[in-house]
Amino acid sequence: MVISDSIPDTSHGGGAVTVDALVKSLKDCKATVKLLAIDQLAEKIRHTEKEHSSLKWGFIKKLKALVSGNSSFHETITNQAEKKDAESILENEEYDCIVCYHWRAIDLVKSIKKIPIVGLVGDPFDLPGKMRLLSRKNPQTIMQKCRSLWIQTILFLKYRKARKRMLYLLNSCSISGAFAAHHALEFQMGGVPSCLYVRTPIRRAEIKNKCPKNKKFTLVHVGHFAGTATLSGVELLCDEILPCLDQQIGIDRFQLKMIGGFADKIPSNLREKLNSFNAKFLGKTDPIGRELMAADVVVVPTPIYLGIRVRICSALAYGCCVVTHIANTAGIPELMDYENCLVASDGKEFCDKIIEIYKNPSLKKRLRNGALQTYENYFSLSKAGKAIYKLCERAIAQTPR
């Protein structure tokens, strides 16, 4: 049984892409796999609860979210109705192992002792809220400063509580792992010494009809625009990277394609800047490999140390030439500058690395070959996917029946 937040998707959202590859990997290893998506349980329960909810509690919930800085902490914990639904599903059949992807899934089954549980997580669930706070501009007025101080105090208290909760959830698993190397190390040092770094499996789709060759030097940016990580990278792209490229090679010599949903979530100031550089918004693209393979460079400018960027692993799978911010190498230590990608520490260096590829076709070819080799060695279904299957076998072997 695989339990995840949402149903698998081959083109949208790092979590959904990971679940898709995870299920396919287990099936390739001849395992019989069933999937339980918590969002489907939650949606059914929300419709039921909506009829009985009062205006008073709805107001208090909104007030708490406003005061606490809209922290996502409570969203990671499943409610009793969801747990009851899950228990009824699990009781109907016998399972040799449960693979949980992310925190809500682990929370759903943490009390089950008879079935071995392999818990795999991405970002610590307190980080997005913290990153949103850090990305805000410095408060100017007294009211803004007071609110900022209040939010920081609340988040500090929630941070301590959230960390304890995460360690508890990981320790409740037979085997636990994190898809980002730096988070695995963080959990090991924090109280889960057995937490493993687990490489993210990526399913490479077969591309029957290749995308036509681009007439201009093409940059491709991947990521849905409702995410903290994506928007932080788009800001760096607009404020530093694109103006630098315009100055050095000219706006008429390159084009930017933006792949991902929720384009309506892009702040108006960033939208104006992207439009000024004639960015093309392609929305959700499936299969994504067609555009990736046709790109000259896949840019990943996310400058915050937040989890693993699945978009990088997907780009490696299609042999893309990747330029990434150094922050993303913390989660993916397999990234090596000038071997399978180019790494930059700021907007100016990012621009310089793109221009290196623009001027040096042999470098682009070498990086493409290095990217493909890295995927085959570490992130393919036959390597990363099989490694997760072996974790399941290990969990089964060490769990008394």
Side-chain angles (χ1 to χ4, degrees):
M1 168 68 81
V2 173
I3 303 178
S4 68
D5 282 356
S6 57
I7 60 175
D9 193 317
T10 58
S11 65
H12 182 70
V17 170
T18 301
V19 174
D20 172 75
L22 176 60
V23 170
K24 181 67 168 59
S25 300
L26 296 175
K27 287 183 176 180
D28 286 350
C29 292
K30 309 303 181 185
T32 301
V33 182
K34 291 192 176 182
L35 176 70
L36 173 61
I38 299 176
D39 281 352
Q40 292 179 319
L41 293 179
E43 187 62 32
K44 182 176 72 174
I45 292 164
R46 273 196 294 270
H47 284 305
T48 304
E49 291 181 341
K50 189 175 181 181
E51 299 172 6
H52 304 286
S53 62
S54 66
L55 178 62
K56 174 185 174 183
W57 289 110
F59 171 75
I60 291 175
K61 186 175 180 181
K62 289 180 181 179
L63 181 62
K64 285 175 68 178
L66 175 66
V67 171
S68 64
N70 197 26
S71 172
S72 59
F73 171 69
H74 293 291
E75 297 172 9
T76 65
I77 307 303
T78 48
N79 59 42
Q80 291 302 317
E82 289 171 343
K83 289 176 182 177
K84 187 175 180 181
D85 256 13
E87 286 173 4
S88 65
I89 292 171
L90 294 171
E91 286 174 358
N92 289 334
E93 294 187 45
E94 290 188 3
Y95 298 96
D96 295 309
C97 185
I98 299 174
V99 181
C100 297
Y101 175 62
H102 223 35
W103 303 105
R104 289 174 69 202
I106 299 174
D107 184 66
L108 195 69
V109 297
K110 65 182 182 296
S111 59
I112 295 176
K113 303 300 180 186
K114 294 182 179 179
I115 306 174
I117 296 171
V118 176
L120 305 173
V121 298
D123 299 336
F125 56 69
D126 61 323
L127 277 189
K130 288 175 64 180
M131 291 301 176
R132 281 194 292 270
L133 177 65
L134 292 173
S135 66
R136 290 176 180 170
K137 295 181 179 179
N138 292 330
Q140 301 296 324
T141 66
I142 294 177
M143 283 295 293
Q144 288 175 340
K145 289 179 180 179
C146 290
R147 185 178 185 275
S148 177
L149 180 61
W150 172 251
I151 291 174
Q152 289 182 52
T153 304
I154 294 295
L155 281 179
F156 173 74
L157 297 174
K158 284 191 173 185
Y159 173 82
R160 294 180 61 188
K161 184 176 180 181
R163 288 284 147 166
K164 289 180 180 179
R165 183 68 172 175
M166 285 185 280
L167 297 178
Y168 166 71
L169 290 174
L170 290 175
N171 279 318
S172 72
C173 301
S174 308
I175 293 176
S176 64
F179 284 119
H182 60 310
H183 291 327
L185 179 61
E186 186 180 344
F187 291 132
Q188 290 169 15
M189 297 175 66
V192 192
S194 60
C195 185
L196 304 169
Y197 166 46
V198 179
R199 293 185 174 98
T200 305
I202 297 294
R203 194 218 288 222
R204 181 173 57 200
E206 182 181 351
I207 307 300
K208 295 180 180 179
N209 300 314
K210 291 187 178 181
C211 191
K213 185 175 177 60
N214 293 302
K215 295 179 180 179
K216 292 183 179 181
F217 184 78
T218 301
L219 311 178
V220 168
H221 178 280
V222 180
H224 72 76
F225 301 102
T228 303
T230 297
L231 287 178
S232 68
V234 171
E235 189 170 346
L236 180 63
L237 188 68
C238 290
D239 292 345
E240 299 183 33
I241 300 170
L242 293 177
C244 180
L245 284 174
D246 183 23
Q247 186 178 15
Q248 296 206 38
I249 65 175
I251 193 172
D252 57 328
R253 294 189 178 181
F254 73 91
Q255 64 175 340
L256 172 65
K257 294 184 177 182
M258 310 289 285
I259 296 176
F262 302 106
D264 58 311
K265 300 289 185 181
I266 301 175
S268 57
N269 63 319
L270 292 182
R271 167 72 78 163
E272 290 175 7
K273 291 176 183 178
L274 287 170
N275 288 339
S276 71
F277 289 101
N278 302 319
K280 297 180 179 179
F281 295 89
L282 305 184
K284 291 175 64 175
T285 304
D286 192 12
I288 194 173
R290 294 182 74 246
E291 288 292 345
L292 293 180
M293 291 173 70
D296 292 289
V297 179
V298 174
V299 293
V300 189
T302 303
I304 57 178
Y305 291 82
L306 181 65
I308 180 175
R309 303 274 66 80
V310 175
R311 66 201 71 170
I312 294 179
C313 298
S314 296
L316 297 177
Y318 291 100
C320 297
C321 198
V322 176
V323 180
T324 180
H325 193 282
I326 193 171
N328 300 304
T329 63
I332 313 174
E334 295 80 9
L335 295 177
M336 303 296 291
D337 198 19
Y338 287 98
E339 290 188 20
N340 51 25
C341 68
L342 294 184
V343 180
S345 57
D346 56 39
K348 175 63 169 61
E349 187 180 9
F350 206 108
C351 174
D352 292 341
K353 292 290 179 78
I354 293 173
I355 291 173
E356 277 192 67
I357 297 169
Y358 177 76
K359 294 180 177 179
N360 191 345
S362 62
L363 172 62
K364 180 166 71 172
K365 183 178 180 181
R366 189 173 82 244
L367 292 174
R368 284 183 179 275
N369 291 335
L372 269 177
Q373 195 62 53
T374 301
Y375 167 73
E376 296 292 351
N377 290 344
Y378 300 112
F379 301 105
S380 61
L381 300 189
S382 61
K383 291 295 176 69
K386 193 171 183 180
I388 294 174
Y389 178 75
K390 288 183 178 180
L391 289 181
C392 296
E393 289 185 321
R394 202 172 104 195
I396 292 169
Q398 68 185 33
T399 303
R401 292 288 181 133

